[in-house]
Amino acid sequence: MLVGKLVFNQSDRTEFVFRVFTTATEFQVLLFLLFLLLYLMILCGNTAIIWVVCTRSTLRTPMYFFLSNLSFLEICYTTVVVPLMLSNIFGAQKTISLAGCGAQMFFFVTLGSTDCFLLAIMAYDRYVAICHPLHYTLIMTRKLCAQMLVGALGLALFLSLQLTALIFTLPFCGHRQEINHFLCDVPPVLRLACADIHVHQAVLYVVGILVLTIPFLLICVSYVFITCAILRIHSAEGRRRAFSTCSSHLTVVLLQYGCCSLVYLRPRSSTSEDEDRQIALVYTFVTPLLNPLIYTLRNKDVKDALRNAIIRKAASEAN
C-alpha cells in the first residue's frame, strides 16, 4: 500500500517554518486579535447551530442534520489551522516537523473534502424536498442520511490518505524549509520538493476533480431541476420560500467551491504563492464564519428556534 511508503527518515532531520505575515510588531498584534476574533466567532456561531438543532425537536430533519454536521466540520476544519497559525504570528519563526506537517495536511484535506461532499449531499436533499415533496420522508430516511455522511467522510479519508502519503514520499532538501503559507497545504509543500513533481501534480488535479468539479456539477444539475420545479409553483409565497431555502446553501457553495478551485485546479504556471495564501484566508475564515450567519439570517426556522431558546434561557435565569 502507498501509505506503507510514508516514511520520515530524511524527515526526522527536515523541518518546516511558515512565512510570517509581517515583521512589524503593531501589525502582528492587530492580525493576532483579528484572527482570534474571527476564530471565536466561528466557534460560537457554528456551536450555536449544533446546539439549536440538537435541542429543538422541530429541527430534527435531514436538512438540519446535514447543517449541524457541516457546522461541526467547520469547527474542526478551522481548529486544525488557526491555533497553529496564531502561535506563529509573534516572535521568531517556529518550526514544525515533517510528521507534524503531514498530520496537519491530512486532517485539513480530509475535513475540507468532507465539507465539499456534504455540500453536494445537501443539494440532493433540497432536490428531493422540492422536486419530490410527497416522497421526501420515504427517500431521505435517517439511515440514508447517515450512510451518505459516512460515505462522504470515508471517501475523503481515502483520498486524503493517498494524497498525503504520496507527497511525503518526496525528498525535501535541506534541514529547514520555509513554506510560503500559514498551513501545510498541498501546493506550497509540493513546491519545496527537490524532485520531479509532475506525477504528484497530476494526482492533485485528479483529487481536485473528484472533490471539487464532480460535486459542483452534481450541485448544478440539482439546482437546474430545483429551479424548474420552483418556477412551476403557482403561489408567489411558495416560490419565495423555496428560493429562500436554496439561496443560503447556494451562497456557501459558490464561495467554497470558487475559492478552492482557484487554489487547486488552476495551472501552476498561472498561480502565485502569495495569491494562494490570500485565497486560503477566505476558505479558512470567511466561509466557516458565513455558514452560521447565512443559515441563521436567511432561515426563519433557525432564527425562531434561537430566539425561543434565548428567551427561555433568560426567563429561567430571571427565576
Side-chain angles (χ1 to χ4, degrees), residues 222-265:
S222 296
Y223 273 100
V224 168
F225 287 107
I226 287 171
T227 303
C228 293
I230 291 175
L231 293 176
R232 289 196 296 269
I233 297 175
H234 298 295
S235 164
E237 177 64 18
R239 287 197 299 270
R240 188 195 65 79
R241 285 179 59 86
F243 273 122
S244 178
T245 59
C246 295
S247 60
S248 303
H249 175 256
L250 199 54
T251 303
V252 175
V253 164
L254 292 175
L255 195 60
Q256 176 84 357
Y257 282 89
C259 292
C260 291
S261 297
L262 286 174
V263 172
Y264 298 105
L265 295 179

Side-chain angles (χ1 to χ4, degrees), residues 166 187 190-191 197-206 264 268:
L166 183 67
L190 263 183
R191 292 188 184 103
I197 59 171
H198 286 92
V199 172
H200 301 75
Q201 286 181 327
V203 172
L204 176 59
Y205 284 129
V206 171
Y264 298 105
R268 290 295 97 193

Side-chain angles (χ1 to χ4, degrees), residues 76 79 97 139 231 266 286:
C76 297
T79 300
S97 67
I139 297 173
L231 293 176
R266 277 194 303 176
V286 179

